[in-house]
């Protein structure tokens, strides 16, 4: 009987042990690179960010009258000044930083003597992080620190290459300025800064502007910044 069964079934080849398919070396290397990339990205986005306060930040404005327009744009100088200078500016714009560093100082004496009122119109849609920086500065303004934050933000623009205006850096900077952080956080979570930014954006569009900084003197756009050196010489009202 067993011989008949053997003939029916025939000779079976021996079973080989099962082996797992080998992972190609290139695929393993790709997986390792992916893991390393995720680890690097995690460190990049979660690492501590510096938020230095430059020496002398805000000192230029210490003796100047500070306030805001009805629209919420920060101002320096008397509301009764015969000359109003408006600057449409973004904290993420390199030319705006250059204007603040090189041309604003020529206005300080005229602002101090009541001849000029300076208005900062926050433009948020030009440059990466411009919206976040503008909101942080406007929230600092609620605690009387807009102009100090103004100097800090422009200094960061020239110092850092990436994540210049990351939320964590902005918050750390607000802490370093001594702001009430509960009030700052509440402001940043509210619609107040965005409402001011929206009004600024509407004004930017109404005047047909294309870039920043754009300067107006008593409602007239100027191209030659050297005109700013002579504003206090006569009444332009």
């Amino acid at each position: 009987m067993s011989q008949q069964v053997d003939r029916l079934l025939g000779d079976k080849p021996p079973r080989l042990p099962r082996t797992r398919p080998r992972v190609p070396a290139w695929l393993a290397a790709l997986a390792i690179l992916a893991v390393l990339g995720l680890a690097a990205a995690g460190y990049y986005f979660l690492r501590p960010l510096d938020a230095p306060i430059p020496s002398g930040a805000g000192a230029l404005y210490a003796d100047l009258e500070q306030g805001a327009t009805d629209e919420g744009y920060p101002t320096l100088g008397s509301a009764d000044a015969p000359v109003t200078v408006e600057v449409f500016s973004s904290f993420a714009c390199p030319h705006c930083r250059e204007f603040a560093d090189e041309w604003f100082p020529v206005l300080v004496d005229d602002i101090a003597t009541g001849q000029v009122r300076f208005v900062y119109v926050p433009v948020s849609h030009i440059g990466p992080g411009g919206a976040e920086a503008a909101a942080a500065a406007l929230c600092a303004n609620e605690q009387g620190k807009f102009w100090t934050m103004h100097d800090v933000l422009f200094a960061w623009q020239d110092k850092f290459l990436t994540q210049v205006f990351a939320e964590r850096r902005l918050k750390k900077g607000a802490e370093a300025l001594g702001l009430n952080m509960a009030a700052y956080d509440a402001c940043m979570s509210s619609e107040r800064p965005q409402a001011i930014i929206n009004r600024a954006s509407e004004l930017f569009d109404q005047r047909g502007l294309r870039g920043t900084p754009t300067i107006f003197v008593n409602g007239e756009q100027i191209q030659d910044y050297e005109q700013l050196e002579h504003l206090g010489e006569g009444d332009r009202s």
Side-chain angles (χ1 to χ4, degrees):
M1 182 70 175
S2 61
Q3 293 178 348
Q4 292 176 344
V5 172
D6 289 341
R7 283 196 299 270
L8 290 173
L9 295 178
D11 293 333
K12 291 184 178 181
R15 286 187 178 180
L16 297 176
R18 292 183 179 179
T19 59
R20 295 181 180 179
R22 291 184 177 180
V23 177
W26 67 267
L27 187 58
L30 188 62
I32 292 172
L33 288 175
V35 171
L36 292 175
L38 289 173
Y43 172 77
Y44 178 79
F45 288 107
L46 298 176
R47 76 189 192 282
L49 296 177
D50 293 335
I53 306 300
S55 175
L60 193 60
Y61 325 100
D63 297 325
L64 302 179
E65 181 179 343
Q66 301 183 20
T69 66
D70 292 340
E71 296 81 10
Y73 311 145
T75 64
L76 292 167
S78 172
D80 297 325
V83 178
T84 296
V85 175
E86 299 166 289
V87 57
F88 287 77
S89 179
S90 166
F91 290 113
C93 158
H95 294 300
C96 297
R97 173 175 51 80
E98 292 170 4
F99 175 86
D101 290 344
E102 299 173 13
W103 286 101
F104 174 80
V106 308
L107 297 171
V108 171
D109 288 344
D110 290 336
I111 295 173
T113 59
Q115 295 299 306
V116 170
R117 187 191 197 199
F118 186 79
V119 180
Y120 186 98
V121 185
V123 177
S124 66
H125 62 276
I126 293 177
E132 293 80 1
L138 291 170
C139 286
N141 194 44
E142 292 190 354
Q143 300 187 46
K145 290 291 184 72
F146 174 85
W147 295 100
T148 305
M149 181 67 92
H150 166 282
D151 288 0
V152 169
L153 295 174
F154 277 134
W156 288 355
Q157 183 203 109
D158 196 35
K159 181 178 179 63
F160 301 109
L161 296 177
T162 61
Q163 298 194 78
V164 179
F165 301 125
E167 180 182 355
R168 288 176 295 132
R169 195 191 305 280
L170 292 170
K171 186 167 184 176
K172 192 172 180 180
E175 287 179 321
L177 287 179
L179 298 186
N180 179 310
M181 293 310 296
Y184 172 84
D185 289 340
C187 174
M188 291 292 283
S189 299
S190 75
E191 297 180 357
R192 296 195 299 275
Q194 190 58 49
I196 297 171
I197 290 169
N198 289 344
R199 287 192 284 271
S201 180
E202 291 172 3
L203 185 60
F204 185 91
D205 291 339
Q206 287 171 7
R207 296 194 184 181
L209 306 184
R210 299 296 182 194
T212 55
T214 303
I215 316 300
F216 286 82
V217 175
N218 283 350
E220 296 293 329
Q221 185 176 347
I222 66 169
Q223 303 293 339
D224 184 359
Y225 293 170
E226 290 186 1
Q227 292 179 243
L228 300 175
E229 297 176 341
H230 311 290
L231 297 182
E233 296 176 1
D235 188 342
R236 291 175 178 250
S237 59

